[in-house]
Every structure is written in C-alpha cells, then in structure tokens.
Amino acid sequence: MKLRTLVIGLAAATFSLAAFAQQPIVIKFSHVVANDTPKGKGADFFKQKAEELTKGKVKIEVYANSTLYKDKEEMEALQLGAVQMLAPSLAKFAPLGVKEFEVFDLPYMFDNYDQLHKVTNGDIGKSLLKKLEAKGILGLSYWDNGLKVMSANKPLKEPADFRGLKMRIQSSNVLDAQMRSLGALPQKMAFSEVYQALQTGVVDGTENPPSNLYTQKMHEVQKFVTLSDHGYLGYAVIVNKKFWEGLPGDVRKQLEDAMEQATRYANQIAKVENDQALDAVKKSGKSEIITLTADQKKAWKKSMVKVHEQMADRIGKDLIQSIYKETGFDPAKL
Ligand code: LMR
C-alpha cells in the first residue's frame, strides 16, 4: 500500500513538473497607442515573429491603448517586473532621471527620418540606451513614429496664434519650453486622457504625429491641424533587464531576432502610416489642414529654436553638438 502511494505520488510529481516545463514564458508588452499605428503594428508583428521563432516557448501578450497601464504607471510596472516590455516615447525617459533623451524633443532638431537614423542607429543612440541600465531597464531598439503636427480649434499659422492657448504635451521639460517659446501654456498629461481633455476644453490644442491624432480621433474635436513638422516623436523598445538576462540563452537569441525584424518592419511603415493617417484626416472633413508658407515656417523656427540654448545645460551641450554634427543642423542658419 505504501509503495503504491509512493508510485502514484512520484507519477503525479513527474506529471506536474512536465506540465510546468511546458508552460510558455509570458511576456506582457504594454503600450498606450492604438493597434493601427506604427508602434501598435510593430508590437503585433513582434508578437507573431517571437511566437513563431520560439516555437511557442514564449507567449507575447500585447496590451494596446493603455488597457494595462497609463504612461507613468507603465514605466514603474516595468521596473517592478509586473510588465516585461514597453515602447515608450523617448520623452518619457526624462522623468526617470535620464534627461538626455529630451534631446529628441528639441524643436526642428530633425528634418527627416534619415537624419534621425544617423543618431539612433549610431554611437549616440547606443550610448543613450546604455544609460537606462542603471534604472534596471535594457533598451533593445528605436522605433519611429514621425514628425508632429499642431492642432487647435483656431488656425495656428503664426507664433502669435498660440498666445494663451493651453496645449497638451508629454511629460518633457523641453516640450514645456517649446510651448512657452510660442506663448502657449503647456499642460503635461497622460496620452490616454488627451481626447477627453480636448473634447471638454480642459486643453485647447495639442501636438502629435498624424497617426496618433487620427487613431485617437483627436481630429474630431480639433477644427484645425497645422503641418508644422516641428518635432519628432519616436520610441525605444525596452525590457526589464533582470527578466531579459534571466531568459534561457537560445530563447533570448530568438527574441532578439524577432525584435530585429519587428524594428525593420516598424521603421519601414512609419512614414506610410502617417501619410495615410493624414489623408484620412483630410477625407474626414472634420479638421481643416493648414500648410505653412515658407515665411510662416521661418517664423515658427525662429521662435522655437531658442529652446535648444535654453535646455542645453539640462540635456548636455556636448550631446546637442554631437547631434548637430551628425545631421548638419545649424541654428544660426535658421
Ligand atoms: C504621447 O504621449 O503623446 C505619445 O507618447 C504617445 C505615444 O506613445 O505615441
């Protein structure tokens, strides 16, 4: 009788061990935007590739549209290990104490994706990601969104048009200074709250690339959208460092491969997604699209570029200069 109990016990233990061994590793990937955006599509692509390459050993759970966490909470959750992967906008690293990332928020710093990629794909991009490690975070790649537009319920053509407007921004001191340089009153706010804040008049306007504006339906509550291309919005895909380094080596390698493919894909579709979103805003007829004249754009640049100087001590003069060198930007030439 005793032997039988022992055999049954052993068999049950073996069975549960085997069942345990077959449990997939779950990676929760949380983000704040819609699925139908460059970041949303990149995350879904990564899920598909990662599950395929790891042959089901890893299950990726993507939570879009702030369904799991809002901006600030998601970063805390990653550090605590409650979520394993995020792709926050680069602006969102400054509140962690890594202020250098605000360099990407400087107005008119980048004219196009090529200039940007010289920085993100080069030594500067790598050394910035390295700074996250002290926060328990590993940066895997940079994903693009695009250049931002400005929206409001009045036409924004000249810097003076911003005077007194409450403009929603991300939690970045550079973006705060940027809005003040136009005479606006910046309001830091979580992304998930922007639509309602615009709808109810808590804020008057905002900035984002067209893909975010359109998929959050912000154009339905903003009468005018100015094609200002005044700043860049992009992301770093990050993971909890301890979790990532604790993965079996072969699995980690497969996930790195999946991330490389997802990065290529996300960065390939970013421009097209934004162009299509802008077309959709135009077709909706809900917002009037404003194209600035060369003189108007010059006036915007002149007002906003002083932010580079103002924020140099905070971000690092050398870092700003090294990016100017990569991109050829010269504030004196504006
Ligand atoms: C925002 O808060 O405006 C953006 O960071 C949202 C996003 O992740 O694209």
Side-chain angles (χ1 to χ4, degrees):
M1 186 66 179
K2 265 189 189 158
L3 184 66
R4 201 167 155 250
T5 314
L6 188 68
V7 170
I8 292 173
L10 270 175
T14 315
F15 177 76
S16 56
L17 260 178
F20 180 72
Q22 280 162 17
Q23 287 293 314
I25 300 165
V26 174
I27 295 183
K28 291 185 182 163
F29 186 166
S30 167
H31 66 79
V32 300
V33 296
N35 293 106
D36 204 13
T37 56
K39 175 161 67 177
K41 289 189 172 180
D44 291 343
F45 185 101
F46 172 72
K47 170 184 167 65
Q48 194 202 325
K49 273 289 152 209
E51 292 181 351
E52 187 186 305
L53 292 179
T54 61
K55 299 196 170 53
K57 274 193 223 152
V58 174
K59 187 170 181 292
I60 311 287
E61 294 177 357
V62 178
Y63 297 90
N65 253 325
S66 311
T67 41
L68 203 54
Y69 299 109
K70 289 187 192 173
D71 307 350
K72 237 208 212 127
E73 301 158 1
E74 68 173 17
M75 205 67 98
E76 280 162 19
L78 185 88
Q79 288 180 299
L80 291 170
V83 63
Q84 291 73 34
M85 186 175 275
L86 306 173
S89 71
L90 302 172
K92 288 172 184 157
F93 294 113
L96 274 185
V98 194
K99 299 174 195 153
E100 292 88 341
F101 276 94
E102 284 183 353
V103 78
F104 293 101
D105 297 334
L106 286 172
Y108 292 109
M109 186 67 154
F110 303 99
D111 275 341
N112 52 54
Y113 291 98
D114 286 346
Q115 287 185 352
L116 196 268
H117 293 161
K118 279 192 190 162
V119 175
T120 50
N121 295 337
D123 290 345
I124 302 175
K126 281 197 199 91
S127 73
L128 286 171
L129 290 183
K130 202 103 196 99
K131 289 184 191 294
L132 297 174
E133 293 187 19
K135 309 286 171 194
I137 294 172
L138 210 60
L140 300 183
S141 353
Y142 288 97
W143 284 5
D144 286 324
N145 192 332
L147 295 175
K148 292 178 281 187
V149 298
M150 288 274 198
S151 68
N153 281 324
K154 61 182 273 199
L156 300 171
K157 295 183 177 170
E158 306 284 347
D161 297 330
F162 283 86
R163 199 160 301 144
L165 289 189
K166 284 179 269 156
M167 298 294 286
R168 180 270 171 178
I169 54 164
Q170 303 181 75
S171 190
S172 154
N173 284 19
V174 168
L175 297 178
D176 187 289
Q178 169 204 274
M179 289 303 186
R180 288 185 198 283
S181 76
L182 293 165
L185 305 169
Q187 310 271 318
K188 290 181 181 168
M189 186 182 288
F191 184 66
S192 56
E193 288 160 14
V194 182
Y195 174 83
Q196 210 187 351
L198 290 169
Q199 190 188 34
T200 56
V202 169
V203 291
D204 300 307
T206 190
E207 57 165 15
N208 239 303
S211 59
N212 276 347
L213 178 94
Y214 178 65
T215 54
Q216 297 299 320
K217 301 191 188 339
M218 293 179 202
H219 64 293
E220 293 184 5
V221 287
Q222 295 276 266
K223 293 201 177 77
F224 298 92
V225 173
T226 302
L227 305 181
S228 46
D229 288 341
H230 63 280
Y232 170 77
L233 178 83
Y235 312 105
V237 185
I238 57 173
V239 284
N240 177 294
K241 185 169 183 287
K242 208 161 145 199
F243 167 80
W244 197 254
E245 288 173 350
L247 288 170
D250 57 335
V251 170
R252 195 170 54 236
K253 174 79 187 62
Q254 288 154 348
L255 292 175
E256 280 163 4
D257 283 354
M259 183 52 64
E260 217 176 287
Q261 294 186 46
T263 299
R264 218 171 306 132
Y265 167 78
N267 292 347
Q268 225 164 46
I269 63 164
K271 177 149 187 355
V272 179
E273 289 289 317
N274 277 299
D275 290 349
Q276 285 174 352
L278 185 61
D279 276 350
V281 173
K282 279 182 195 159
K283 278 202 193 100
S284 77
K286 307 239 177 199
S287 290
E288 189 182 313
I289 308 290
I290 298 169
T291 305
L292 296 175
T293 64
D295 281 349
Q296 284 166 342
K297 197 147 191 182
K298 205 166 176 180
W300 282 52
K301 286 187 178 176
K302 278 229 176 309
S303 291
M304 292 160 100
V305 80
K306 53 181 176 256
V307 174
H308 290 221
E309 180 90 40
Q310 275 169 13
M311 289 290 132
D313 283 342
R314 177 177 166 87
I315 297 169
K317 284 196 176 78
D318 291 349
L319 176 60
I320 295 177
Q321 287 301 329
S322 63
I323 295 185
Y324 287 171
K325 221 186 221 161
E326 288 290 343
T327 63
F329 181 90
D330 182 354
K333 283 200 188 137
L334 289 181

